[in-house]
Structure formats: C-alpha cells, structure tokens
Amino acid sequence: MKKKSLLTLGTSVLALSAFLAACSEEPAATPEKPADDGQGTTEEPAAVEGGTVTFGYTQPFAGVLSYAFYEGEDDANILQFMHEGLTQLDDELVAVPNLASWEVAEDYKSVKFTLEQGVKWHDGVELTAKDMVFAWEIIGHKDYTGPRFANVSNIVGIDEYKEGTAETISGVEVHDDYSFTVNFKEPSVVLVENLWTIPEPKHHYEGVAIADLAASAQVRQTPIGVGPFKIKSITPGESVELERYEDYWQGAAKLDGVVYKIIDGALAQGLIQNGEIDIIEAPKDQWATISTLENVNPVTADAMSYSYIAFDWGKYDHDKGMVVSDNPKFQEKKLRHALAHALDRQAFIDAFANGLGKPLNAPFPSISWAAIPDSEINTYEYDVEKAKSLLDEAGYVDKDGDGFREDPKGEQFSVNFDAMSGAETSEARAQFIIQSWGEVGIKAQLNGGALKEFNLFYDTIEADDPSVETFMGAWGLAADPDPAGIWLSTDTWNMWRWYNEESDALIKKGTTLPAEGQDVIEHRTAIYHDWQKLVNEELPVIFFEQRVDPWAINKRVQGVEVTPFGVSDYHLWSVTE
C-alpha cells in the first residue's frame, strides 16, 4: 500500500524474499528494442566517469529514513540507494547472501548468520552483529508502533522482551562481532525469508528512546546506511540529494550521486522529455506518449503488486494487538459481491492505465508461484444485472423512488469512498468507481468531498477515522507469498481490519514444514490455494488489478535493471553524458 511497500516486511533489500520461488514464463521486464544502424548491430554510447541521475516520484515523501519505521514507497525510494540488508534476491527471486551468509539448522528452528567483514556505515563505523540485534530490539520493543513485529514474532524470547520482563531477547546469541545465531519458537520453511534482516546503526541512535526514534533527527535529518550512496541534503517533501559513498563495501558506485525529486505527476511527460527526470515509474495515463519519446528507453515489467478497493471492517485495538471487525456496514457478503460485479475493471485499466494491467481476483499476481488459477475461483465479471439481483436478494432496494437503494431496515444507505490525488486522472478514476456503484443503485461519494493527498490518505486510514468506509489502495508484494504482515488479524497493515479465524490458521499453516517426502512448494501451494479461495469468496476487499509497471529511463542512463519489484543495481548505474 502507498503503493505500501511490502517490499518491506521481510529480509531482502526491500522484501520478504523468495523461498524456492519460480519465475513467470514471461519475461519480468520488456524493454523496447533499440534501433540498429542498418547493419544489424547496435552500439551504446560509452559511459563517462561520474555524473548524476535524477529519480522522479509523484508524491511527497514522509522522510522516515529508517527501514524499521518507514511505511511507503515514497521513503523506500530513498532508502534503496542508501541502505541494504543481510539478504538479496537473485534472478530466480530466491534469497541469497548479501551482507551475510547463513546456515539453517536441520530442525528448522535456528539460523546462524555470518556477516561480511569490513562493511562500514556512512560515518565510517563498521557494521557488526550488535546492529542487527539492535534492529530486532527496536521492532520488538513495547514502544515500537511500526508494522513489522510479524517479522520478529517467531524469535525465542521476543514476547518477554516486548512485555518488559526481559532486558534482552533470549533467543539471539551473539558469538562475536560478525556471527550470531537466532533461535525460533516454531520451525518454518521460511525462517530467513520472514525474519527482519535489515540492520540499524546502534551507535548513531545512542541516547534516543525507541519511542522517539521515528521522529528523531538521526532518522529524518542525518540518516545513515551501508549502501552505495549517502545523504548529502534533504529538502523535506521535495527532494533528497545523495552522493557516492567511497567506502561502499562492494566498491564505489559509478555515479557521483542521485537526486530524488518530487514532481507534479501531471507534468511528468514534459519533465522526462526535457531531461529534468532521468528515471521514473511513469504515470500510466501518460504512457502512450511517454513511451514514444526519443530520449526514453521504455521498459514495462509485470509487477509483484496489485490494487484493491477495501471495505472498512472496524478498527485496530492496540491494547489487544489485533483488529476488531465491529463495523456492521459491510457484513453482508452479497453486498460486497454486488459492488465487485458493478465494476468494469478492464474498462478502468484501458481508460486510465493504457491497458497496463489486468483484473485480479485474489491477493497474488499471476507471476507468483502461489497464484491460484482463475478457473478455481469467482472472477467477479462485470455484470450490472447480477449486481442488482444480489442487492435485491440482500434487501437493498429503492423504497422512496430516488434512484438509490435503502438498506434492509429501510434506512438511507450511502458509501464514502476515499482515493488519492496526484495524477492527472485521479479525479476521473474516483468518479468511475462512484458512478459504477451509482448505476446499480448504491449512492456513493468522495469522503469529505475531495481526494486526499498521499500522506493524508494513509494517515486517515491508519488512524481508523470513522468516516472511512471504502478506499482504493495498492500493495507492492514480495517474492515469497506468505501473507503475514498484511492479512493476519494481528497485523497493523491489515488496513481493512478484517478478522477471520480460518484465514489466520491457513496463513500460519503456509510456512510450516511439509510431511516427510512431500515437496515444499506443493505443500505450500495447496495451502495458499485454499486461502485464496477463502478470501476470494469472503471478499474483504475487491481485488482490482494486477499491475504492469511502466518505467521511463533516459537513454543517457545505463546499467538500470528493472524487476517485478522496481529497479536495482544502483552502484552499477552510469551515464553517457
């Protein structure tokens, strides 16, 4: 969501990395072929030393520059250049060593990590085991209010530490500066994949209470990492200038620096065309034109992400540490199904995304190895008459002749809809949804009468504002399909506040060890198919579209790899002029 990066809930640089993940048979990224010279050959201009690349984004960033605390893609775009974790994803989307290697015990209840030596934070201090332990102490602390406890919850002793009855996490054993063992409560086939493995600079945060860290100067003004670029200057909400870190552990980056710049999405085409922006995930409503610009290498990638329209089910009880689904408004399943059938999702994609995407009916995009075939679930085809019939059956009928349906008690019924501003077609997209529901007799309106700016949108939803009833968001997922972190009843990122015991049980079962002799992927796939059938039928949210991300890359920039998760290999980027 935001597109919230669940490229954040796990262990790779930004992701819950893959466990024996299988790639789609289709290529993840599809670049336009460069024109040849008439002789059947092409030559790229030679790269020059240094240079700067400007990376664009269309929403203001919050400026929470710590992986332990940040929540959205706005800040992840900055963090990706300046910090990284113990693991990374290889070309097969499998977790492989980055800052550390590891050994998993035969009983799948402990993992020993060994850090790379000589890795330095941007202030010159060496990365050690205490920095990784400190990250777990932050996330497991009673004063931590972020969304990542799910990634440490299986560590032995984490509950006692969180409750304050223990000063340390008993399940973590530090052997020396570079090696440590983590012991787990329950065996799991994704111990490393689901463990939080992005370290935090303990020395840099010295003297700052956990409760104050997210708002501290160390996080928002002078953040440090171990990545190829370090922060040079920050203009809050507008831009960040990063410069090459000469002591980067994999060798100094080719570029002198990167500028992260916030732009008006409606002006993206012109800014790309005149060279003010070098790299951007382009607004889809402008892609038909942007992709043809002479100075652009257009790349489209099947994304590990999806958009949705959520029903608000209740609130998050922070004292109990779980969601409470006490909102009666959308408890009627036929109402939820009707609202889904009322939406022509393909028409929406064609009109506002230049056809980049396709309707989705479960929480896994088709490129995930765990995705269930549409033939096994309800596809919620656009069907106005079916939507009307379902509403009639559920007792939602127009009793006063005004064209809109009352609820089964005969009382006025209307639906608030929340959506974000920021794109040229944001208003039109929201009105498409509102009008589609109106066509089947459901009165809907923008909550508060207007779209919301990016950060206000999520602040409102996360605060469980009672005016929020439905909202359109998106999730960027990880390679491993484990839904924990978003879908468990204990997850703060369970934005729609849906509680279902069967869902919780299946999610937890999905990471258990298979029976002796059973293939791990077959074991997990069967469980996740059952889980998708459940959420597809219950429909706590309307799964809207699986995405194809369009990237506009200036032809002067080389070495940029586009993946289902975004761009990577930042230290290898270069420019020709």
Side-chain angles (χ1 to χ4, degrees):
M1 215 143 160
K2 273 194 180 178
K3 187 160 46 162
K4 276 272 194 186
S5 246
L6 237 205
L7 306 175
T8 66
L9 282 181
T11 65
S12 71
V13 176
L14 291 175
L16 284 165
S17 9
F19 180 82
L20 299 181
C23 293
S24 168
E25 293 180 359
E26 298 178 355
T30 307
E32 182 181 90
K33 293 181 179 179
D36 65 32
D37 58 5
Q39 305 299 316
T41 61
T42 60
E43 289 187 11
E44 288 189 350
V48 299
E49 291 187 11
T52 300
V53 163
T54 301
F55 187 101
Y57 193 64
T58 60
Q59 297 283 356
F61 59 91
V64 182
L65 300 182
S66 159
Y67 273 118
F69 291 98
Y70 95 100
E71 294 193 5
E73 188 179 31
D74 54 322
D75 289 336
N77 288 336
I78 305 167
L79 286 163
Q80 66 185 351
F81 294 109
M82 59 174 285
H83 196 30
E84 50 197 66
L86 305 191
T87 77
Q88 61 181 338
L89 296 180
D90 67 9
D91 291 340
E92 299 299 315
L93 304 184
V94 175
V96 294
N98 188 48
L99 296 176
S101 57
W102 60 86
E103 298 176 11
V104 179
E106 290 185 4
D107 63 0
Y108 287 90
K109 292 195 69 175
S110 67
V111 178
K112 182 180 180 181
F113 290 92
T114 302
L115 291 174
E116 289 279 345
Q117 297 187 26
V119 177
K120 294 182 179 180
W121 293 97
H122 292 157
D123 59 1
V125 175
E126 188 175 14
L127 170 73
T128 65
K130 66 182 180 182
D131 297 312
M132 191 62 254
V133 176
F134 183 58
W136 296 326
E137 291 174 343
I138 290 174
I139 295 170
H141 197 275
K142 62 181 177 62
D143 292 331
Y144 175 76
T145 57
R148 296 173 177 87
F149 184 75
N151 297 106
V152 300
S153 61
N154 195 26
I155 301 177
V156 170
I158 196 68
D159 295 322
E160 292 80 1
Y161 174 75
K162 186 177 182 65
E163 293 165 359
T165 59
E167 295 184 359
T168 61
I169 304 170
S170 62
V172 178
E173 306 171 36
V174 176
H175 309 301
D176 53 45
D177 281 349
Y178 308 108
S179 63
F180 49 94
T181 296
V182 186
N183 297 291
F184 298 91
K185 304 172 193 174
E186 301 293 337
S188 169
V189 295
V190 286
L191 289 177
V192 174
E193 289 75 12
N194 281 6
L195 178 67
W196 186 257
T197 55
I198 303 178
E200 293 287 338
K202 184 174 183 178
H203 67 284
H204 187 61
Y205 297 148
E206 186 174 358
V208 182
I210 301 297
D212 300 327
L213 263 181
S216 70
Q218 288 89 331
V219 166
R220 292 179 174 265
Q221 299 173 27
T222 60
I224 61 174
V226 300
F229 297 95
K230 62 181 182 179
I231 297 293
K232 182 178 181 181
S233 66
I234 300 174
T235 303
E238 296 182 12
S239 66
V240 177
E241 187 176 357
L242 301 102
E243 60 185 348
R244 177 171 57 211
Y245 180 46
E246 299 294 344
D247 289 330
Y248 177 54
W249 69 283
Q250 294 194 80
K254 294 181 178 181
L255 293 173
D256 290 327
V258 175
V259 175
Y260 179 55
K261 186 175 182 178
I262 304 305
I263 67 168
D264 181 342
L267 304 178
Q269 177 187 325
L271 296 173
I272 296 166
Q273 187 171 14
N274 67 25
E276 289 187 49
I277 297 297
D278 292 306
I279 302 175
I280 188 171
E281 183 181 336
K284 293 180 180 179
D285 52 10
Q286 300 174 49
W287 185 242
T289 303
I290 290 174
S291 63
T292 64
L293 295 176
E294 291 185 359
N295 65 329
V296 165
N297 279 326
V299 180
T300 57
D302 292 323
M304 193 69 83
S305 63
Y306 66 89
S307 63
Y308 62 87
I309 296 175
F311 301 109
D312 181 75
W313 288 78
K315 58 183 178 292
Y316 193 89
D317 187 323
H318 288 277
D319 292 331
K320 295 181 179 179
M322 64 182 299
V323 300
V324 178
S325 298
D326 58 357
N327 181 6
K329 188 154 193 170
F330 300 105
Q331 297 291 335
E332 172 55 62
K333 187 191 301 186
K334 289 181 179 179
L335 169 64
R336 304 193 299 273
H337 284 204
L339 293 176
H341 281 293
L343 299 174
D344 189 342
R345 293 173 293 166
Q346 189 61 58
F348 181 99
I349 294 165
D350 292 341
F352 303 119
N354 278 293
L356 293 168
K358 62 180 180 179
L360 179 77
N361 300 296
F364 297 151
S366 60
I367 60 172
S368 170
W369 57 260
I372 190 170
D374 275 352
S375 60
E376 297 184 29
I377 53 177
N378 190 339
T379 55
Y380 296 100
E381 300 292 342
Y382 174 55
D383 190 333
V384 170
E385 293 309 313
K386 184 168 186 177
K388 290 179 178 179
S389 176
L390 286 167
L391 290 169
D392 289 342
E393 292 173 16
Y396 292 84
V397 295
D398 180 10
K399 295 185 177 180
D400 58 12
D402 66 351
F404 294 110
R405 297 169 183 266
E406 280 68 50
D407 70 14
K409 295 180 181 179
E411 298 176 356
Q412 293 291 319
F413 184 82
S414 67
V415 175
N416 284 339
F417 178 67
D418 273 287
M420 283 182 284
S421 60
E424 190 174 3
T425 57
S426 294
E427 180 73 30
R429 292 198 303 252
Q431 291 303 323
F432 181 100
I433 304 300
I434 290 170
Q435 291 170 17
S436 295
W437 286 343
E439 288 176 6
V440 298
I442 296 298
K443 184 178 181 180
Q445 59 279 321
L446 280 175
N447 187 18
L451 300 169
K452 290 183 171 63
E453 176 272 330
F454 183 75
N455 288 304
L456 174 60
F457 175 85
Y458 283 105
D459 288 345
T460 302
I461 292 166
E462 291 173 0
D464 292 323
D465 187 308
S467 69
V468 174
E469 295 181 334
T470 62
F471 58 91
M472 190 167 198
W475 276 115
L477 302 179
D480 190 87
D482 179 12
I486 301 176
W487 284 93
L488 284 173
S489 60
T490 53
D491 293 330
T492 58
W493 269 355
N494 181 334
M495 294 289 189
W496 32 90
R497 311 311 191 200
W498 182 60
Y499 174 72
N500 183 286
E501 289 186 7
E502 185 180 358
S503 173
D504 276 7
L506 286 168
I507 290 172
K508 293 174 182 178
K509 185 179 179 182
T511 60
T512 58
L513 300 179
E516 186 174 353
Q518 184 181 14
D519 179 78
V520 172
I521 294 297
E522 289 181 0
H523 164 71
R524 299 185 71 201
T525 297
I527 295 167
Y528 290 139
H529 279 197
D530 286 344
W531 180 72
Q532 288 169 89
K533 289 175 183 177
L534 173 67
V535 294
N536 170 266
E537 172 61 24
E538 293 301 318
L539 209 68
V541 307
I542 298 172
F543 302 104
F544 203 82
E545 63 164 328
Q546 58 181 28
R547 297 183 156 194
V548 174
D549 289 340
W551 285 89
I553 304 171
N554 192 295
K555 289 181 178 178
R556 78 183 191 94
V557 183
Q558 298 181 345
V560 179
E561 181 183 0
V562 177
T563 77
F565 307 103
V567 292
S568 62
D569 294 339
Y570 319 105
H571 64 297
L572 300 179
W573 292 7
S574 62
V575 293
T576 60
E577 59 181 50

